[in-house]
Amino acid sequence: MNKTLLFLLAGILIVFSACQQKNEANFVKVANNGFTLNGKEYSFKGANYWQGMNLGAPQSGDQQRLVRELDEMQELGITNLRILAASEADSAMRYCIHPALQTAPGVYNNDIWQGLDFLLAEMGKREMKAVMVLGNFWTWSGGFPQYLRWAGMGEVPYPQEPPTSWQQFTDYSKQFFSNDSAQEMMKNHIKTIIGRINSITGKAYKDDAVIMAWQLANEPRGYDVPKQLQKWTRATSGYIKSLDSNHLVCLGTEGNTADLVSGVNVLIDNDDSNIDYITMHIWAQNWGWYSPEQSDSVYTEMLQKVNSYWDVHVDAAKKLQKPIVLEEFGIARDGSSFSPDTTTNCRDRFFEFIFSKVDESIKNNGMVRGVNFWSYSGEGRPPHPGEFWEKGDTYLGDPPHELQGWYGVYDKDSTTLAIIKRCCESKF
């Protein structure tokens, strides 16, 4: 081989290597049981801010409020937001955010598309990363129930309307894992959003480093059909990777929920080469472990359960050699009040406990490398605390299928915000 050809090949390799490095710049990756960003270890403290897409809409939203709240979160040190990248709702869908991004199969509301574009563009200015939630087991973003309605599976049995039970609802929603038509609708949305060109930045979402990960769905549960759940998650994670090699993929499951019949298993569900990291949720109050009006002894017992839950997931992560993100946790205001004026002593104590566990894990190179508290309500206040969200109400961190004012953190919750800021600013 002559020298000219050698120099030519060397030049090609150098250019290829430079292009590859440029391509990978600013994208979060997984390595050594943790996350990396531009070759350095990456961990994060963040929030759930699912309503950001709707606030960013130029016509139906409130972009000035969105900008103020992003500034507030940046000031706290928050660098990661878990947000909706999908919502499905026709006019008949209840206990769901309106206006929705997708109003019929393949029919989109351009105002909400622009809201998501604006949100990502503004996050990019603040060097924040986004976890993009693509679906939902529950009704609050339409999710599986809306796809099933569109697929002809009948009306949604809303558990908020007695005598309908939660089991009737979950029996309905789990049908998604065996319904080809509903799955195809969601698959079409996944292809659409990964290929979308941001109307503000001009970047395709698949090439946008503001996005950290695509998340299959919020809290998908298999119940008595776990094999169907796993079949769907494996097919969907593989499909996402076939369209986008830049971004991470995660499930969005709670992990081994307190309810043993939920049909989820942190070890089995995440044992998939296309799933990059493990998600975990901790809902002490929802799972009946504790509520703020109970005694200190019950609180202590709850912390023991949290520690045990945490340890089970850490053990699974070690076996799978994948990092964990605690992407949901929260607790109600004192006395389980829905009023924004109620104190947050119990919440503050619980947040302090959870954040200290996350800090300890990051400090000691443990498996938990990120956290998103539930959730940031910012300037929003419920017009009717303790009631369900209705069309036209302000957007809060509390989703429409839950009583408003339950878990959201407001911009005036000074003691809670101080804890979040202290945690975000901790350096190791």
Side-chain angles (χ1 to χ4, degrees), residues 2-283:
N2 61 45
K3 289 184 178 180
T4 303
L5 186 55
L6 282 173
F7 283 129
L8 181 61
L9 287 172
I12 292 171
L13 286 172
I14 290 169
V15 171
F16 177 78
S17 177
C19 289
Q20 189 176 35
Q21 288 177 6
K22 183 180 180 182
N23 233 15
E24 294 182 355
N26 298 318
F27 287 99
V28 179
K29 302 295 181 182
V30 288
N32 302 319
N33 298 337
F35 299 111
T36 62
L37 180 60
N38 296 327
K40 298 180 180 179
E41 288 188 12
Y42 173 73
S43 59
F44 64 86
K45 318 290 175 57
N48 280 273
Y49 192 62
W50 63 266
Q51 67 274 31
M53 174 171 65
N54 284 77
L55 285 174
Q59 296 178 23
S60 61
D62 188 340
Q63 291 185 337
Q64 291 184 347
R65 174 186 162 188
L66 173 64
V67 168
R68 289 192 298 270
E69 291 182 353
L70 289 174
D71 286 342
E72 291 160 8
M73 287 187 280
Q74 183 182 35
E75 174 64 25
L76 292 172
I78 288 170
T79 58
N80 186 286
L81 298 179
R82 181 171 176 252
I83 62 175
L84 282 180
S87 59
E88 309 78 25
D90 55 31
S91 60
M93 191 66 178
R94 304 198 293 284
Y95 305 101
C96 173
I97 191 69
H98 287 274
L101 176 60
Q102 193 174 183
T103 57
V107 178
Y108 289 93
N109 181 331
N110 191 53
D111 185 45
I112 306 302
W113 262 137
Q114 291 179 355
L116 183 55
D117 292 345
F118 183 81
L119 171 61
L120 291 173
E122 290 297 317
M123 288 178 65
K125 293 177 184 178
R126 295 161 179 80
E127 298 185 347
M128 291 178 169
K129 298 294 184 184
V131 175
M132 307 280 276
V133 183
L134 295 168
N136 204 337
F137 189 84
W138 313 110
T139 61
W140 58 268
S141 65
F144 299 170
Q146 178 64 87
Y147 282 130
L148 288 166
R149 277 189 64 238
W150 284 337
M153 297 303 293
E155 290 304 309
V156 179
Y158 297 102
Q160 295 87 353
E161 300 175 1
T164 304
S165 67
W166 277 101
Q167 182 172 342
Q168 287 174 284
F169 170 78
T170 57
D171 282 346
Y172 182 90
S173 194
K174 73 184 182 186
Q175 294 177 101
F176 176 83
F177 305 122
S178 59
N179 190 294
D180 292 341
S181 178
Q183 289 182 31
E184 189 65 21
M185 293 176 201
M186 183 172 173
K187 187 176 179 181
N188 289 338
H189 173 66
I190 290 172
K191 183 178 181 179
T192 299
I193 195 167
I194 288 176
R196 176 163 176 85
I197 306 298
N198 190 307
S199 60
I200 297 171
T201 66
K203 283 186 180 180
Y205 280 22
K206 66 181 180 179
D207 297 324
D208 193 347
V210 172
I211 296 171
M212 169 178 157
W214 299 109
Q215 183 166 109
L216 269 61
N218 176 64
E219 298 187 339
R221 292 181 173 185
Y223 286 95
D224 58 344
V225 290
K227 297 290 187 184
Q228 293 179 4
L229 165 66
Q230 291 154 19
K231 181 181 178 181
W232 174 75
T233 61
R234 280 157 172 71
T236 306
S237 61
Y239 181 65
I240 293 171
K241 289 288 190 178
S242 75
L243 298 175
D244 179 359
S245 60
N246 287 323
H247 294 105
L248 305 179
V249 175
C250 60
L251 291 177
T253 57
E254 302 132 291
N256 295 340
T257 58
D259 183 354
L260 297 178
V261 301
S262 293
V264 285
N265 183 298
V266 63
L267 189 61
I268 296 173
D269 297 342
N270 288 282
D271 190 10
D272 174 0
S273 60
N274 292 313
I275 297 299
D276 295 295
Y277 66 92
I278 295 169
T279 56
M280 174 173 65
H281 300 182
I282 294 178
W283 284 108

Side-chain angles (χ1 to χ4, degrees), residues 285-340:
Q285 194 165 353
N286 296 40
W287 297 343
W289 293 353
Y290 177 74
S291 60
E293 64 271 19
Q294 291 180 306
S295 66
D296 281 350
S297 62
V298 179
Y299 181 81
T300 301
E301 291 174 4
M302 178 267 287
L303 296 187
Q304 294 171 350
K305 292 176 181 176
V306 169
N307 285 332
S308 297
Y309 193 79
W310 181 287
D311 292 344
V312 166
H313 292 76
V314 167
D315 288 343
K318 288 177 178 177
K319 290 176 182 176
L320 296 174
Q321 296 187 315
K322 297 180 181 183
I324 303 175
V325 172
L326 172 58
E327 61 173 23
E328 285 190 20
F329 76 93
I331 210 153
R333 306 177 85 84
D334 292 341
S336 293
S337 171
F338 297 98
S339 170

